[in-house]
Amino acid sequence: MRAVIQRVREAAVAIAGREHARIAHGLLVLVAAEVDDSPDDVAWLSGKVARLRIFADDAGKMNRAVSDIAGEVLVVSQFTLFASTEQGNRPSFLRAARPEQAVPLYEAFVARLSAELGKAVQTGVFAADMQVSLLNDGPVTISIDSRRRE
């Protein structure tokens, strides 16, 4: 699985012009499943996101996780994180898991992240045409890949 995590002051998802989800200070997590991903990838990635220390402590160092600051989390599915432009200018998405595999992995990621944080996370809607708005804080943006364990 692959995730792009953004530290945000706020973030929201709208679908068909209607707000679906909104968070205040916390994390916007764009996540995608790869063809060969498994529950092990879900467990590793959700734990990494939950414990990612990208919020400032009293000394101004990035040393706090989202739970340490009572922050919120918004998770949005985004298969385009596995886009390949190796051959030409039109992206290929062959590495992205098909919906029948990706939906259960996405739902498991959301459930596991919520359990790790001890509270519900907000979500987009899988495969919906979403408009995502955010106010990036920092900006701080981190990419994580469960295959590479980084």
Side-chain angles (χ1 to χ4, degrees):
M1 293 184 85
R2 187 170 286 169
V4 173
I5 298 103
Q6 295 183 298
R7 188 177 74 184
V8 298
R9 298 273 175 135
E10 63 183 66
V13 171
I15 300 169
R18 293 189 126 148
E19 186 171 281
H20 175 76
R22 172 174 292 280
I23 63 166
H25 194 224
L27 300 175
L28 170 62
V29 181
L30 307 174
V31 67
E34 192 173 8
V35 171
D36 294 327
D37 282 340
S38 71
D40 288 340
D41 293 285
V42 169
W44 183 86
L45 186 61
S46 62
K48 193 65 144 176
V49 170
R51 293 184 296 277
L52 191 62
R53 298 185 312 173
I54 60 173
F55 294 92
D57 63 15
D58 293 336
K61 294 189 183 251
M62 282 198 268
N63 206 22
R64 291 188 175 143
V66 68
S67 59
D68 297 330
I69 62 142
E72 299 178 287
V73 178
L74 173 58
V75 178
V76 176
S77 63
Q78 189 173 349
F79 76 94
T80 60
L81 294 179
F82 282 107
S84 172
T85 58
E86 186 176 359
Q87 296 185 6
N89 295 316
R90 184 171 183 259
S92 166
F93 302 105
L94 294 175
R95 290 180 48 206
R98 307 264 321 140
E100 54 273 10
Q101 178 193 13
V103 169
L105 290 169
Y106 169 76
E107 290 174 349
F109 174 80
V110 169
R112 183 131 185 174
L113 182 58
S114 178
E116 297 229 17
L117 296 172
K119 67 181 190 179
V121 300
Q122 298 294 312
T123 64
V125 174
F126 191 92
D129 181 12
M130 297 175 275
Q131 292 71 53
V132 179
S133 60
L134 67 136
L135 180 56
N136 203 317
D137 183 18
V140 174
T141 303
I142 309 288
S143 298
I144 300 177
D145 191 298
S146 65
R147 284 293 161 76
R148 296 190 322 239
R149 294 295 198 243
E150 64 174 25

